[in-house]
Amino acid sequence: MKQTFKKNIANRLRNVHIIVAIFFVVSVLLVPFVNADRFEQEITELKQDNAQSRSLVDQLTEEAKSLEDAINKMQAQIDALQAQIAANKNKSAELKVKIAEAEIELAHQKDVLGQNIKAMYLEGQISTLEMLATSKDLSQFVDKQQYRDVVKSKIKGQVDAITALRLELQAQKEEVERLIKEDNQLKTEIGKQQTERNRLLNLNQTEQNDFNQKIAQNNERIKDLRQQQALENIRLFGGGDGVIGGGGYPWGGAPCLSTGQVDGWCPGFEWGYNGSWNNWSTGGYAYRNCTDWVAWRTGASGGLGNAKLWDDRAPSYGYAVTNTPTKGAAAVSNSGYYGHVMYVESVNGDGTITISDYNRAGTGKYSVATINPSGLVFVIIPH
């Protein structure tokens, strides 16, 4: 009975120890995973932010082209409006000349009308009987009557002509006023279009400048992080100046995609071809980086992410993770922002390991070194 009780107690204690051990292991593995994901998340967000900003800059560039087209059309409208204003001014000047001529003719017609009215009035003072009595014969009387009729008809024609001239003058003056008003409206419209043109251009350029500045700031942040990582790698594993294209790596001579190169140093640590720094032959790792080198040597999956995440994500791909140095494994350092991954060329009898890597010092070069494996985690990738 006592033995059974003791056995149960021992089993419970053993289970407790197992649970505690599991909890400890999970905690140890979880902490770097959380930290690594946090780092990875920040750099991913920076790159996503840059990609979005570049996309917006491209959109703004297209909008600028559309704006330029609209501005060219607007300028054509402005030119047409200004031509119309010039035509209106010419027409207005012509009308003013015609008005002056019409006013002279009107004054002349008024003078003729006055004389005819005076003649008509004088003739009108003689009665028909007196006209007949003073006439030598009937034919003379008829001539006088015809004369009066002619004068009356002429007076009527002159009155009609004067009325027509007045109407024409009024219409011409109204046309001149309309043209002047239209000119003022056209000038106002031109001013509005020019103001809108300048506003759109300035707004577009300001937005482009803001996004380009944001991209530059993000790139500086990424560059600083990678420089810090390179310094940390040098501290841990030595200088690693190495050589370009060593180890049989096919992409060791990939050119730098960034501007501002100094003595072979590539800002942003982005080497590649045709504007792309992703090497899809290895699953999307960056050319001449440590991850791309080890993925090429081991055939590792493309989803392991930055070096610091390899040991965290390896189990989900069926890769074993161990603290025991193993030839052909990926040696992972979790030190620094990105971490560093190396290929284990050999495990030596004195406890050291010989590794090969790329971009240890941020130069994108191939290096070989013999180092102490302390602090490293090894990912076994069947190949």
Side-chain angles (χ1 to χ4, degrees):
M1 186 78 169
K2 289 182 178 179
Q3 290 179 349
T4 302
F5 177 75
K6 289 180 179 179
K7 188 176 182 180
N8 291 336
I9 292 298
N11 288 336
R12 289 184 181 181
L13 288 173
R14 185 168 63 253
N15 291 337
V16 169
H17 290 157
I18 291 172
I19 292 172
V20 170
I22 291 173
F23 177 76
F24 176 76
V25 172
V26 170
S27 298
V28 170
L29 291 175
L30 185 61
V31 169
F33 180 77
V34 172
N35 288 337
D37 268 353
R38 176 170 60 82
F39 295 139
E40 175 69 10
Q41 181 179 1
E42 180 178 349
I43 197 64
T44 298
E45 288 175 353
L46 285 171
K47 288 186 175 180
Q48 288 175 346
D49 195 16
N50 277 359
Q52 183 179 6
S53 295
R54 289 189 182 101
S55 176
L56 290 171
V57 169
D58 291 341
Q59 291 178 18
L60 287 170
T61 301
E62 290 302 316
E63 288 179 9
K65 292 179 182 177
S66 298
L67 280 175
E68 196 60 37
D69 290 341
I71 287 167
N72 291 336
K73 292 178 181 178
M74 197 178 292
Q75 187 61 50
Q77 292 176 354
I78 290 173
D79 293 341
L81 291 176
Q82 288 177 334
Q84 187 174 345
I85 289 174
N88 287 350
K89 287 182 178 178
N90 291 336
K91 187 175 180 180
S92 177
E94 291 175 0
L95 286 174
K96 287 179 180 178
V97 172
K98 289 182 178 180
I99 288 171
E101 293 174 350
E103 286 177 341
I104 293 172
E105 178 63 20
L106 181 60
H108 172 69
Q109 292 294 338
K110 285 182 177 179
D111 183 59
V112 172
L113 177 61
Q115 293 177 6
N116 288 333
I117 289 174
K118 181 178 179 182
M120 181 71 182
Y121 177 77
L122 292 174
E123 291 292 334
Q125 298 299 315
I126 304 173
S127 66
T128 303
L129 183 59
E130 289 175 327
M131 189 183 298
L132 182 58
T134 57
S135 298
K136 294 181 179 180
D137 51 33
L138 186 59
S139 61
Q140 188 179 19
F141 171 77
V142 172
D143 289 340
K144 287 184 178 181
Q145 184 63 39
Q146 287 178 339
Y147 172 73
R148 289 183 63 184
D149 293 339
V150 169
V151 171
K152 284 181 180 180
S153 177
K154 192 171 184 179
I155 289 173
K156 183 179 183 303
Q158 289 171 337
V159 169
D160 291 341
I162 290 171
T163 302
L165 277 173
R166 283 176 175 169
L167 291 174
E168 183 179 349
L169 281 174
Q170 183 63 32
Q172 289 175 346
K173 288 179 179 179
E174 289 176 356
E175 176 66 7
V176 170
E177 291 174 356
R178 186 190 68 79
L179 291 174
I180 292 173
K181 184 178 180 180
E182 183 177 329
D183 285 353
N184 293 333
Q185 290 175 343
L186 291 175
K187 289 176 182 177
T188 301
E189 182 64 22
I190 289 173
K192 288 180 180 178
Q193 290 185 352
Q194 288 176 333
T195 300
E196 179 65 8
R197 169 187 182 275
N198 294 335
R199 186 189 72 81
L200 291 174
L201 280 180
N202 290 336
L203 178 62
N204 185 283
Q205 191 59 51
T206 299
E207 289 179 341
Q208 288 195 47
N209 292 340
D210 289 344
F211 285 124
N212 285 330
Q213 183 178 4
K214 190 176 183 181
I215 290 172
Q217 290 172 347
N218 287 350
N219 286 337
E220 284 298 315
R221 171 63 176 160
I222 293 172
K223 184 177 71 174
D224 290 343
L225 292 173
R226 286 176 171 164
Q227 286 176 329
Q228 291 173 23
Q229 184 64 60
L231 292 174
E232 180 65 10
N233 293 343
I234 292 171
R235 184 184 70 81
L236 291 173
F237 312 116
D241 290 336
V243 295
I244 295 176
Y249 176 64
W251 306 284
C256 181
L257 299 179
S258 305
T259 57
Q261 301 177 58
V262 179
D263 296 331
W265 178 72
C266 183
F269 305 101
E270 293 183 351
W271 298 268
Y273 301 95
N274 301 321
S276 175
W277 53 271
N278 296 99
N279 183 5
W280 297 112
S281 298
T282 59
Y285 296 106
Y287 290 102
R288 294 176 66 173
N289 274 247
C290 61
T291 49
D292 198 54
W293 160 252
V294 177
W296 177 72
R297 286 297 302 269
T298 64
S301 171
L304 294 174
N306 289 336
K308 200 166 188 174
L309 294 175
W310 275 44
D311 56 326
D312 299 323
R313 295 181 176 178
S316 64
Y317 289 90
Y319 304 152
V321 179
T322 178
N323 292 321
T324 303
T326 305
K327 180 180 178 179
V332 179
S333 168
N334 283 305
S335 183
Y337 190 90
Y338 295 98
H340 188 59
V341 63
M342 302 155 280
Y343 181 77
V344 180
E345 299 286 351
S346 65
V347 178
N348 307 317
D350 60 357
T352 62
I353 60 174
T354 299
I355 56 90
S356 60
D357 59 1
Y358 258 79
N359 200 37
R360 182 192 310 172
T363 59
K365 295 179 180 180
Y366 170 78
S367 303
V368 177
T370 297
I371 63 173
N372 189 321
S374 177
L376 299 178
V377 180
F378 299 89
V379 177
I380 311 300
I381 303 167
H383 62 286

